Amino acid sequence: MERIIFNEDHHAFRASAKEYCDRSLVPRMEQFLEEKTIDRAAWLEAGKQGFLGLDVPEEYGGSSVGDYRFNAVFAEEVSKVSASLSSCFGIHYDCSAPYLVDLGTEEQKQRWLPRFCSGELVAAIGMTEPSGGSDLAALKTTAKKTDGGWILNGSKTFITNGDMADLTITAARTDPAKGAKGITLFAVEAGMDGFARGRKLDKVGQTESGTSELFFEDVFVPDENVLGEVDRGFIHMMERLAQERVGAAVSNIAHATQILAETIEYVKQRKAFGQPVGSFQYNKFLVAELVTKAEVTQAYVDNAIVAHDEDRLSAVDAAKVKWWSAQVQNEILDACVQLHGGYGYMNEYRVARAWRDARVTKIWAGSNEIMKELIGRDLGL
Amino acid sequence: MERIIFNEDHHAFRASAKEYCDRSLVPRMEQFLEEKTIDRAAWLEAGKQGFLGLDVPEEYGGSSVGDYRFNAVFAEEVSKVSASLSSCFGIHYDCSAPYLVDLGTEEQKQRWLPRFCSGELVAAIGMTEPSGGSDLAALKTTAKKTDGGWILNGSKTFITNGDMADLTITAARTDPAKGAKGITLFAVEAGMDGFARGRKLDKVGQTESGTSELFFEDVFVPDENVLGEVDRGFIHMMERLAQERVGAAVSNIAHATQILAETIEYVKQRKAFGQPVGSFQYNKFLVAELVTKAEVTQAYVDNAIVAHDEDRLSAVDAAKVKWWSAQVQNEILDACVQLHGGYGYMNEYRVARAWRDARVTKIWAGSNEIMKELIGRDLGL
Amino acid sequence: MERIIFNEDHHAFRASAKEYCDRSLVPRMEQFLEEKTIDRAAWLEAGKQGFLGLDVPEEYGGSSVGDYRFNAVFAEEVSKVSASLSSCFGIHYDCSAPYLVDLGTEEQKQRWLPRFCSGELVAAIGMTEPSGGSDLAALKTTAKKTDGGWILNGSKTFITNGDMADLTITAARTDPAKGAKGITLFAVEAGMDGFARGRKLDKVGQTESGTSELFFEDVFVPDENVLGEVDRGFIHMMERLAQERVGAAVSNIAHATQILAETIEYVKQRKAFGQPVGSFQYNKFLVAELVTKAEVTQAYVDNAIVAHDEDRLSAVDAAKVKWWSAQVQNEILDACVQLHGGYGYMNEYRVARAWRDARVTKIWAGSNEIMKELIGRDLGL
Amino acid sequence: MERIIFNEDHHAFRASAKEYCDRSLVPRMEQFLEEKTIDRAAWLEAGKQGFLGLDVPEEYGGSSVGDYRFNAVFAEEVSKVSASLSSCFGIHYDCSAPYLVDLGTEEQKQRWLPRFCSGELVAAIGMTEPSGGSDLAALKTTAKKTDGGWILNGSKTFITNGDMADLTITAARTDPAKGAKGITLFAVEAGMDGFARGRKLDKVGQTESGTSELFFEDVFVPDENVLGEVDRGFIHMMERLAQERVGAAVSNIAHATQILAETIEYVKQRKAFGQPVGSFQYNKFLVAELVTKAEVTQAYVDNAIVAHDEDRLSAVDAAKVKWWSAQVQNEILDACVQLHGGYGYMNEYRVARAWRDARVTKIWAGSNEIMKELIGRDLGL
Ligand SMILES: Cc1cc2nc3c(=O)[nH]c(=O)nc-3n(C[C@H](O)[C@H](O)[C@H](O)COP(=O)(O)OP(=O)(O)OC[C@H]3O[C@@H](n4cnc5c(N)ncnc54)[C@H](O)[C@@H]3O)c2cc1C
Ligand SMILES: Cc1cc2nc3c(=O)[nH]c(=O)nc-3n(C[C@H](O)[C@H](O)[C@H](O)COP(=O)(O)OP(=O)(O)OC[C@H]3O[C@@H](n4cnc5c(N)ncnc54)[C@H](O)[C@@H]3O)c2cc1C
Ligand SMILES: Cc1cc2nc3c(=O)[nH]c(=O)nc-3n(C[C@H](O)[C@H](O)[C@H](O)COP(=O)(O)OP(=O)(O)OC[C@H]3O[C@@H](n4cnc5c(N)ncnc54)[C@H](O)[C@@H]3O)c2cc1C
Ligand SMILES: Cc1cc2nc3c(=O)[nH]c(=O)nc-3n(C[C@H](O)[C@H](O)[C@H](O)COP(=O)(O)OP(=O)(O)OC[C@H]3O[C@@H](n4cnc5c(N)ncnc54)[C@H](O)[C@@H]3O)c2cc1C
């Protein structure tokens, strides 16, 4: 069914986003895959076209469009090229921006946001630790107060953009006795003494994104780098998870829809037993199911985009749209691989990489299980 | 997620529909179940409150609201009481009305519509025959031209409202040589010579609706009872299937959502091993999944309602929303039965009847397989 | 794949069981459905042919074949006719017999078993209560010691054969303080003062079996009717659940396999669009999947039969075969209904009743959730 | 449930196979993954222990055990280490051996089999071509008769062991007019003029196996290298597919069962919210389901092993066990990834690679769709 949430401005913006993708991303994909990271040039070009400052006020270099549909459009266009690139950019302009904009002091905003918008400063978010990601409140990285700042010790893992981030929003325990109420956010900057990155993690998919471990050994973080209120980091994170999750959902379904469209082309061309493989009724019905599933999911995601834009999207509804879209994305991609036969198993086929890329969406940004826990709890169960 | 397609008028109308249900339907359910049909009084009361003429111009006794959301609201409220009653009313005000209004001559409209709106005249649609429902174009009931009318011979089966219908829109073959292009619609009226009803069919569910076989033995149907153009009956039907299917979808999801809500109450109350059965994590996650599925589906159905209201709903999109909603409804209800334990298997529990009622939605109004065929074909497969 | 667990003796026994079904059950099905119970004649005829005493030593009128395959064969043949009848007989010869034989005193065995084998005495098992079936240890029916016996108070529900049972193995709490260790089994006999049956429950399916509530109001049960050890009833039940569950599994898959075979015949005959509906590739693949699933499940059930016969079937393995077979049975039957189109929704079609009948197998004899709990616990989770 | 098809000899053989795996394979895994192939040493060591000649008569260096259970045991042990290695060895000792042994002339057997058994000569099977794998009969590689031999032209793709094979059983069209009846098998040997290998294909998984394209440009293959009868190659292949498929099934389930066992260990150790993640009921039930599914499938595979051993396994039953085991394997592994959280997405975790490895089993050796086609056809649909 036709989508109805976009107007002319969004369409024009989409054209520009697509143009960016075709120019800056598509031709460099091989390089990204090889180097297991996006290069700086692509960030700078995105910055130049204004994609990185959508949520940032104009005075700090952004465009502050104040319409979440634009965020969604950019995410969709990048996802069509690569779910992985979408996650890297998303962590920056969609997930990190609200932290810096809402929680940052005037001084911090002036210090970071212009370069954040231009793509000179790449952001990351460091919550997960080797000992656990689901139970965020149990994190072990500590920050001890000292003169003029804090001393951080501990480590993070699975951090998107972690290999290159100039600024990592890092959650650390500032009060061991207070559980979730003793966590604070710090902006850890590249080059700080005692801060080190592990190797780029070798992942099942999303090869073109740099995911790393981060190590903090007596890292001194000055008071000026505390983000938001001391001991309120957990709440700061909770409040921003809805945007992270609706953003994830936008990418999930855009990615699946794109690969599905390519698969439909494939099964129209590919022949077996003298007929297109897509014309065998089993495959035809399968594709009909997938197309329906994608559209149904898109309808829900679109509702979520609009609700989030109007500040009506609850954390629980964000959880719903996150897990569902991840589940559907994976179902669609698994079927798309199958429809490609042996070629679906070859990495040079986009569908093969897409399938590997998609697998993580049921795990990250709060695993699907954690989403169901939130929903169930909200129902009073 | 909050639904956003309704305004104050719809809410007011919903209150009125609910009031009707509570007054006219709920207290009579046992009787309907016993007699395997809705009684006339309920029809007349619905007529009096204006629910039966939503699609009928005011000059013929209707309200011609011209906003499909009202049709949807009525379907939803009735479905919450009984999917079966919703199907009986739906066949009348939602499926049959467009035939009479769009295809009827001025004389026909004056003859039938006022009583159609008041509930004095109950309508049915007779397409399916014992030899087949999916392949509509292969129907075998014949209509031979004679002086001043046509002679019908053949039979129909599985006809909703068939046990009581005063007027049955009946598809018959007027030109045996022309396949789908040789079918014409006739308004067969109760009491016509040679027209007989079989017994009420004993169904798996939907017990409170009268479903019957119809027999035509040399039934003379006057020319004045031809509906639409001779030999164009197939196209007339195809053009109206979208409304039938979106209407079915509206009921499907409203029904499932209601029973799910009741089930959530149940699993909060019912205890095992000292805790509410809904609080066991497996059940909690299951319910979280069901709620998500229901909401996702509702988003899509709502899009379809609006699209249909704006004349943008294609036959193919109607097929999508029909099969998907039927599938989800059945998945939800099966889980709801399970969550009730042994009580879910007892007919006095609403969930038990709901489960039986729902099973047919994957079969009727074009089986889910036929829907997938349409979608696949539309994709060029 | 060919089944390999049976030899000539089993084949001969199967022929005899089939002959019984064709003669005693098939012709009376309409009557059973009407009366919502099996009549006595069918019990007596089963007794005469020796089907009810398979687990009973010869000295008490049984055949004590000591080979569980025979139990399985009888269950399979009856299940092909009706899952419901199989459950009624199963509760008697397969589930109750071990209680009476293993736990009964010499006097009890002489008192009950001959009539048990002849079909004059029909047995039932009363564990579940209105307040809960899953948490057996929480049962509330009490038995207070008195002179020469016990006074029972409480009620049971969902009791198979409850409408007619001459002897109901009834679990009651003899020591309120000791939880699972304070439960005792009593043989409650028809006609005992204060013992009453509720109406036959109106079920979703399994219409031909009499399922009832049972009420105990100051029922005096003499000491001679205590089954097994006082306060060890829970363990007595646990030890016999494996046989109940493997027996359920045998019926589940036999029932599904039979209806599937009938459905395959149907889809070969039934035509749409000029070809058998089973020849459409989607349906063809679906049937291929169902046949595979049925065979895979049969292989596992057969392993369980042999293991149980050799006393190697653990309670946990019985749980696996129970839940899995129930799940598969329901999946198969749902698809079989769909393949029948509208006729699948008509009670006069066996597939329609079979679908309704099957639904309970995921709930009773320990719900599938309880089975998963047992399995998970056994894995150390 | 306990497996019952093995005796002491099989257990002893299993110990020896396991010892081989631990010594020759496990320590070299990193190397194999790096080099995208198994090295020769591992082949030779397998040969030395007699694993490669299980189906080869003793006179040609094999052990001709004549008991398929041994083939299964070796496949299982290797699969526990790596599904990919199992496929490489399987193509050799399990799939290729029957071609050489049954179809080979005395001279051919003496020429090839001793080195085949010792591991000096590695075999591959070349059926699939870039233009299609499912429709084997449509293959395009041609063999034109010439003096003393044949001239082959064309190409093959996705050939397991293709990167290193010394002998490739190659299907080519010898009579273009006769479709399936004009195909012949040739033993193409490494070093033949005009025979070339493409690069090792970059696959989604199974990284440690060398899969290649093969090119034939005017390759002269002497008459002495024709395998079996001219123009009967298609039938030769069909007759051997059952063994290939049951062999695939054996690996599929052994692989899944092993990773599942490792996952169970993981979820017992890994904690979140203060408890093992496997102890959350949702995960506990999930694991219970997976364990059941694995055991059910094993029962069926075991039946197939025995049936094949006794020459009773039909091509259709082999199709059933192939598709089902592949489906279950993939379901299990997807869940195992999820249970590992973020670590499940890291290639250094076995579960991550296992998940990628497994994906191909639904595609190769006849895709699951082709299996369902065969089964459906066999049912007369
Ligand atoms: C490619 C990639 C990129 C990532 N990027 C980032 C990033 O940029 N920043 C960041 O901070 N993190 C990032 N993550 C981490 C991610 O958010 C975590 O992996 C995720 O939250 C799960 O945590 P875990 O891996 O520790 O799994 P665990 O918490 O160990 O969970 C293991 C399993 O247990 C389940 N489980 C846990 N609790 C429950 C429960 N209560 N009930 C039922 N099941 C439960 C989980 O769902 C999972 O299946 C990334 C991860 C990946 C793989
Ligand atoms: C309770 C009830 C109420 C109904 N009310 C009405 C009514 O008011 N008016 C009316 O006209 N009809 C009514 N129907 C009929 C209904 O529309 C038909 O049952 C339905 O269209 C299916 O037709 P059939 O039963 O003949 O199945 P068949 O056409 O025989 O189909 C049998 C099976 O084959 C499948 N199949 C058919 N063609 C294909 C294909 N090309 N590819 C793959 N699979 C295929 C079907 O999906 C189905 O699973 C009602 C039915 C029921 C059960
Ligand atoms: C037709 C029929 C015949 C029967 N025959 C007999 C008979 O002959 N004798 C007899 O004694 N009983 C009989 N039963 C009863 C049957 O065994 C129970 O219905 C069954 O054990 C479930 O108990 P319940 O209905 O009280 O459900 P509840 O215990 O109330 O369970 C409700 C739901 O909660 C789930 N649940 C419960 N505990 C947990 C948990 N720990 N974790 C997750 N989920 C959980 C259940 O699986 C179920 O889905 C029969 C039932 C039926 C319907
Ligand atoms: C890692 C790997 C190793 C392999 N090893 C070997 C080897 O050693 N030797 C060898 O010869 N081959 C090998 N193969 C090839 C494998 O057997 C083929 O990939 C497989 O048979 C499918 O063929 P295809 O890739 O051409 O898919 P296609 O035939 O193009 O099929 C595409 C899709 O259409 C479906 N389809 C085809 N026909 C029908 C139909 N009638 N009805 C419904 N759906 C249909 C297929 O199931 C598939 O989903 C290997 C493949 C891989 C990936």
Side-chain angles (χ1 to χ4, degrees), chain B residues 102-271:
Chain B
D102 304 352
L103 304 174
T105 63
E106 183 56 33
E107 183 272 331
Q108 287 175 333
K109 293 195 239 186
Q110 292 191 0
R111 184 148 44 111
W112 294 319
L113 288 176
R115 285 185 299 133
F116 179 95
C117 294
S118 70
E120 289 158 286
L121 179 157
V122 170
I125 300 183
M127 300 182 182
T128 304
E129 305 191 351
S131 61
S134 299
D135 185 6
L136 191 52
L139 58 83
K140 295 179 172 164
T141 296
T142 56
K144 289 230 169 77
K145 192 65 191 109
T146 185
D147 244 31
W150 301 74
I151 303 292
L152 266 66
N153 275 290
S155 66
K156 298 286 171 183
T157 194
F158 304 142
I159 307 307
T160 303
N161 294 343
D163 67 315
M164 67 177 327
D166 304 286
L167 185 159
T168 302
I169 300 167
T170 305
R173 180 164 303 291
T174 33
D175 190 331
K178 292 200 301 190
K181 292 183 178 162
I183 291 171
T184 303
L185 300 179
F186 297 90
V188 175
E189 296 186 72
M192 284 181 167
D193 264 3
F195 169 66
R197 314 176 199 270
R199 67 194 159 78
K200 284 174 208 164
L201 295 168
D202 178 24
K203 306 191 299 291
V204 158
Q206 305 242 354
T207 314
E208 60 271 48
S209 68
T211 313
S212 300
E213 282 188 278
L214 302 179
F215 303 101
F216 309 89
E217 224 188 298
D218 290 333
V219 181
F220 173 78
V221 181
D223 286 331
E224 297 86 54
N225 276 24
V226 170
L227 258 178
E229 288 181 49
V230 170
D231 284 352
R232 283 183 58 89
F234 192 77
I235 289 162
H236 292 328
M237 291 187 284
M238 289 304 112
E239 287 170 355
R240 272 145 204 92
L241 278 173
Q243 177 145 331
E244 174 160 1
R245 286 170 187 161
V246 69
V250 167
S251 282
N252 293 346
I253 191 63
H255 180 239
T257 300
Q258 174 63 24
I259 301 296
L260 177 53
E262 297 175 16
T263 300
I264 293 174
E265 279 321 298
Y266 184 79
V267 297
K268 284 185 186 174
Q269 307 305 326
R270 178 75 175 176
K271 293 213 166 111

Side-chain angles (χ1 to χ4, degrees), chain A residues 130 202 204 343 345 347 356, chain D residues 130 202 204 343 345 347 356 359:
Chain A
D202 178 23
V204 157
Y343 292 101
Y345 203 64
N347 284 330
R356 296 192 283 102
Chain D
D202 178 23
V204 158
Y343 293 101
Y345 202 64
N347 283 330
R356 296 193 285 102
R359 186 60 188 81

Side-chain angles (χ1 to χ4, degrees), chain A residues 150-166:
Chain A
W150 302 74
I151 303 291
L152 267 65
N153 276 290
S155 66
K156 298 285 170 182
T157 194
F158 305 142
I159 306 306
T160 302
N161 294 342
D163 67 315
M164 68 180 322
D166 302 286

Side-chain angles (χ1 to χ4, degrees), chain C residues 13 53-58 62-71 309:
Chain C
F13 181 76
L54 294 174
D55 275 359
V56 177
E58 294 179 45
S63 51
S64 189
V65 292
D67 176 348
Y68 193 68
R69 271 164 279 229
F70 289 100
N71 295 36
D309 186 51

Side-chain angles (χ1 to χ4, degrees), chain B residues 18-33 39 42 45 81 85 350:
Chain B
K18 180 166 171 15
E19 185 271 332
Y20 165 72
C21 291
D22 289 345
R23 188 168 37 80
S24 293
L25 303 181
V26 174
R28 290 184 182 123
M29 274 304 292
E30 288 309 309
Q31 174 201 328
F32 298 168
L33 284 164
D39 76 2
E45 288 161 24
V81 177
L85 297 184
R350 271 170 59 83

